[in-house]
Amino acid sequence: MTKMNVEILDCTLRDGEQTNGVSFLPHEKLGIARMLLRDVHVDRIEVASARVSDGEKDAVSMICRYARSLETSTETPIPDASEKIEVLGFVDGGKSIEWIEQCGGKVINLLTKGSENHCRHQLSKTPDEHISDIKENVRLAQEHGLTVNIYLEDWSNGMKDSPEYVYHMLSSLQGIGIKRFMLPDTLGILTPKETAAFFRDVTSRYPDVHFDFHAHNDYDLAVGNTLAAVRNGARGVHVTVNGLGERCGNAPLASVQAVLHDHLGIETSIEEEMLGEASRIVEGYSGIAIAPNQPIVGENVFTQVAGVHADGDNKHNLYCNALAPERFGRKREYALGKNSGKANIEKNLKELGLDLTPEQTKKVTARITELGDRKALVTQDDLPYIVADVLKHSAPEDRVRLKGYMVSLSYGLKPHACVKIDIDGKRFEADSSGDGQYDAFVKALRHIYKVTLGRTFPMLENYAVSIPPGGRTDALVQTQITWRMKDGRLLRSRALDADQTEAAIKATIKMLNQIEPEFPKVSTQDENSDITE
């Protein structure tokens, strides 16, 4: 790997929060900042805009306190953690500086104008008047002990329409103690060719200046432009988790990391295995779902569908590239559908430990193709049940069988559930109340597993309800549940039914049969009945 000093600045908490409908609570901002600094190991994070609100002030203060605690941590200290926290400030006569100082901040990213059009028409100032104001704010910040970086807002249009203005700004401001000049493609208008040319120009004119590049994704070129900027001298790049940001968003952290590593051979500080977890946390806090085909972090990106791909991977990993899923804490999967083919089915069967004859495999393949033609969603978890249906025998054996249940919902009372299940032929019953019908059902099951049998019971990680592909709102619903095992493994189970609760219950019983082989068979002395929680 090439050891280049390319800094990663994550702007999720500032620019990412400008996504329509996204507003992080202070404790959510702290949680994201903690993960980015401690687990993902980004070099810097931009956490807010100064003077926005009291809530924003609380969030920045909390993050700055956390950064100071990292500097003296006895476990994994980060000596310069406070210098990694940056806040956007304005040329406002020192008001932003005072706000940042009150929060405990050490770095201001001063927003200035990078195009003559913005300078004259938004500020109604001449370039020299604007430069004079900037210098005064830089002086004030330095007097307060702040490190100063400068954004040249609308720099890309400035290079297109008024390059002499840009050069005048840079020449006038270098040498006064500004640490970094940050060059944004504010409206996402650049192509990689233009980005490369503009960066070659500024880095050759000002070889001793540290330039960052801040990309926007309006033409879906943010990652390509970021790559071009680094190829031509950018020493820092700006990203957001999941590509959050105003309009079409910013360059996604995971994609930029992969491109820098694989195409430029740059070894950054990023812990790639943590990118998926960071993505899910930001997805949860922001409410903005990750597209299934989002590179690196999307649900489908390490899933092969075509049977020819599975065949090639079986023979010599012919359809694998440098984006090995294991790098990012993922694994390669082979989807099941009408395009699966025998090789794809065989890979899934092998992973599940199911050994079928060629004739049996042919029958299962035909059944999955039929389901795919009807747009039925088939997953690896469903495969044992398809095998059992096709071959007319129980494979795998259902050690857990739901024998009966009752769930109730009453106004003014907590929902209640009574459950009766057989495990290895032994009968267990329990009842419980909960915050919902399904919650009550799961609590009753958990009581059987944890209290009666002394077993572990997975924690509910995610619960999603949707109309199955090709379905109608008055037909079946699909419930998909994600469970986290005690050892950190994730299990997914799904089921279809006309009733949402019934589908969730079926999916839960599927999950229990998946984990049952990890437990010894129950004995007669384990049997208990009429258990009430």
Side-chain angles (χ1 to χ4, degrees), residues 306-525:
V308 66
H309 293 169
D311 179 63
D313 287 349
N314 273 337
K315 292 174 178 174
H316 197 65
N317 288 331
L318 298 180
Y319 293 92
C320 295
N321 58 22
L323 293 172
E326 292 76 17
R327 282 173 56 184
F328 309 101
R330 307 280 298 280
K331 70 172 186 174
R332 196 171 303 282
E333 297 179 350
Y334 294 86
L336 300 169
K338 64 181 180 180
N339 297 314
S340 296
K342 186 178 74 170
N344 196 329
I345 306 298
E346 287 176 342
K347 259 195 171 292
N348 280 280
L349 289 170
K350 182 178 179 181
E351 191 167 324
L352 289 169
L354 296 173
D355 187 16
L356 303 185
T357 67
E359 184 60 29
Q360 290 171 333
T361 301
K362 183 178 179 180
K363 290 180 179 179
V364 171
T365 302
R367 175 63 172 152
I368 290 172
T369 301
E370 177 192 342
L371 291 168
D373 280 335
R374 288 165 32 202
K375 294 189 177 180
L377 182 62
V378 182
T379 70
Q380 189 186 73
D381 294 337
D382 299 320
L383 191 53
Y385 301 93
I386 294 172
V387 171
D389 179 55
V390 170
L391 303 184
K392 305 300 182 186
H393 65 76
S394 180
E397 175 190 3
D398 286 345
R399 290 176 58 184
V400 181
R401 296 177 182 273
L402 181 65
K403 304 306 291 184
Y405 75 90
M406 184 276 292
V407 292
S408 65
L409 181 65
S410 304
Y411 178 74
L413 298 173
K414 274 199 164 190
H416 197 83
C418 298
V419 179
K420 182 189 296 184
I421 61 172
D422 282 359
I423 304 177
D424 296 327
K426 307 297 188 298
R427 179 65 48 84
F428 299 89
E429 296 183 26
D431 62 82
S432 179
S433 59
D435 293 327
Q437 292 173 305
Y438 179 64
D439 182 55
F441 177 86
V442 170
K443 283 183 176 178
L445 280 181
R446 184 176 285 116
H447 190 95
I448 292 172
Y449 271 72
K450 298 186 72 173
V451 178
T452 308
L453 296 175
R455 297 176 171 184
T456 59
F457 193 88
M459 293 300 296
L460 184 65
E461 181 84 3
N462 194 26
Y463 179 105
V465 179
S466 62
I467 303 299
R472 305 185 309 276
T473 55
D474 60 349
L476 296 176
V477 296
Q478 173 181 270
T479 301
Q480 177 175 299
I481 307 177
T482 303
W483 308 85
R484 184 174 293 276
M485 301 293 287
K486 188 176 181 180
D487 60 8
R489 286 179 296 139
L490 292 179
L491 293 179
R492 293 180 178 86
S493 58
R494 67 183 78 197
L496 301 173
D497 197 86
D499 179 79
Q500 174 182 327
T501 303
E502 177 80 11
I505 288 171
K506 287 180 177 179
T508 304
I509 298 301
K510 280 188 178 184
M511 178 275 294
L512 293 177
N513 276 295
Q514 288 181 56
I515 67 172
E516 192 60 29
E518 302 178 16
F519 301 114
K521 288 199 173 187
V522 298
S523 60
T524 307
Q525 65 211 34

Side-chain angles (χ1 to χ4, degrees), residues 14 88 116 120 148 194-195 236 246 265 292 310 366 374 468 502:
R14 199 276 298 175
L88 181 74
E116 188 168 1
R120 292 190 181 279
V148 181
E194 290 170 324
T195 305
E246 199 163 25
R374 288 165 32 202
E502 177 80 11

